[in-house]
Amino acid sequence: MSERPSSFETVCWRDGAVVMLDQRLLPEIERYNTYEDAHGVAHAIRTMVIRGAPAIGVAAALGVALAATRTSGDARAVARAANDACDLLAATRPTAVNLFWALDRMRRRLSSSTSNDAVALRQALLAEALAIREEDIAMCRRMGSHGAALVPDGATILTHCNAGGLATAGHGTALGVVRSAVEQGKRVRVLADETRPLLQGARLTAWELARDGIPVTVIVDGAAASHLARGEIDMVVVGADRVAANGDFANKIGTLGVALAAAAHGVPFYVAAPWSTVDLATPDGAAIPIEERAADEVTHIHGRRVTPEGVPVRNPAFDVTPARLVTALITDRGLAQPPNAETIGRLAEGATP
Amino acid sequence: MSERPSSFETVCWRDGAVVMLDQRLLPEIERYNTYEDAHGVAHAIRTMVIRGAPAIGVAAALGVALAATRTSGDARAVARAANDACDLLAATRPTAVNLFWALDRMRRRLSSSTSNDAVALRQALLAEALAIREEDIAMCRRMGSHGAALVPDGATILTHCNAGGLATAGHGTALGVVRSAVEQGKRVRVLADETRPLLQGARLTAWELARDGIPVTVIVDGAAASHLARGEIDMVVVGADRVAANGDFANKIGTLGVALAAAAHGVPFYVAAPWSTVDLATPDGAAIPIEERAADEVTHIHGRRVTPEGVPVRNPAFDVTPARLVTALITDRGLAQPPNAETIGRLAEGATP
């Protein structure tokens, strides 16, 4: 088993600034943007320079560290800047729970600091954000190794959206399972839903798997059910933006349809998500707020109109899949198989079932 | 009840030529192309200037008439030209059974003609093609009136692809049901799947319903399951490219996923198709050939690449939905409710159940 380093950097700290791979330009252009303040980071999250629940959490934490390190003055000024950055960043995307989890950690670090030393406080906040980033990669690797055990050699794996290295600080959640299976020497191929409206499957999943030499084929979202019905798919694995206490989960719009089609054809359906995505305060899927994004994501593709002028659209960014359609929830703490209040409760207590 | 005339012409005969609305340019541009020979018509069908099983059948019949009327010489020369046109047009699209049905009718008309009079033969073939066109509109109206009875007042109706006036000579199959319900004074609104890869829902269904003043909202294909799960949809109605003897049917890729999601949430799912779409020689869905179209329909949108260079795609144009997911098959002969060998057999005998 060999751990392959990631061949790209999704979000990192470099020369006192936050650097992100601009995912809106992939696969055509690989451009890294540098952000010098928290407003820039918030705008990048809102406009989806970076996306994916874990990556958003890491970016937000680094955004808070950025606000702190760029603030001169005393510890109170640094704390105020960091707090303001938390408020600003919390308002970027409503569905991904990792965002709030990461910001809570930054706030806790902030309030636990009793030092009046501005330098020490800046360092502590940067260290916390960098720790969140490192832990994210480590979590993906643990999740990957738990999930890889579920992947048969020779499997064709369907995935939706991008729950990959690009959606995390590295390795990926759903694609982390794929990468870990490959590292174990298993031969796999991936079928990637293109994932309208923003085409994260066609653009991002295809790009990062091809880059790592893992065979990937793209299909339109509507084709998934047909490939499942034809027996061409051995398992489905997707990420999650929020997992409720009962195992219901929110993920990119289109996930529910894939889950229903997988269940109808007896194909195992897995959700790979770091424990930070599990929100025990959310009892079930009905309680998850669903972000409705701008109409032009649907009405225009590459700046050109595809719907008639004046015709309205609906654009929910996520849907909710009930736990009963999920074979297992794969987390860095282990599996909840099947996911329900009891199996998730056991993971919450730290035990690996 | 008032019969509203169609506000556009999908395919018609004008000044001795075949005229088609170029559906590739909608909704931005409403351009009518004139075809002077059968090769032009075949190319138009293959490149999807016109699409939709009934419209393809009408266009092909008119293409044969065009070949006949443009051939000088004796009746034998006219017959040869018409036969060659049938062969040429039969090779354009493999899944739509109406194409073969329409060409068979043209061939039968040809072989039943004992006249050595070239003028009479040309006239007979043109009359047959025009009859197919008129009958198509009449069939859609009968289908619409059978189907409209199933539409509750105030219904929100989900549809996939375009089974509208643009997919027929006029009125439409699935959208014919909607139009007939509106003509009966029912208030309905339509939710249209955009229908990747060619976006017939976003471009065509939205265009023709908006043009007729029927409220329509566009969603991405992946959103259909979520709207069904939220109880926002009262019924689904789609068209079909071929219905097998047991009620299984082929339709635009993505239909199966919608049918599975509708069944999972207890929402009635209807298929509206003229009797000419029912192929009693095809025992079940597994026997329906599925056209795989060019990769660039998936890899490029508006000429711009959306998948990474070198990454393969799959592009089946249709999928097969099993009869068990269909609440009723709506035909111009009446309903097969639920569709199965027995109910379809009764329609085949001409009885209206």
Side-chain angles (χ1 to χ4, degrees), chain B residues 143-168:
Chain B
M143 213 182 317
S145 104
H146 289 303
L150 303 167
V151 179
D153 186 30
T156 296
I157 304 170
L158 175 68
T159 191
H160 187 73
C161 196
N162 174 266
L166 289 168
T168 61

Side-chain angles (χ1 to χ4, degrees), chain A residues 196-197 294-301 306-307 313-315, chain B residues 194 202 218-220:
Chain A
R196 277 279 289 153
D296 65 0
E297 291 183 354
V298 178
T299 58
H300 289 71
I301 301 178
V306 293
T307 57
V313 305
R314 294 285 303 276
N315 186 22
Chain B
E194 66 171 10
V218 175
I219 57 172
V220 298

Side-chain angles (χ1 to χ4, degrees), chain A residues 166-185:
Chain A
L166 290 167
T168 60
H171 200 65
T173 57
L175 299 190
V177 171
V178 171
R179 283 197 172 89
S180 292
V182 170
E183 287 176 1
Q184 290 178 3

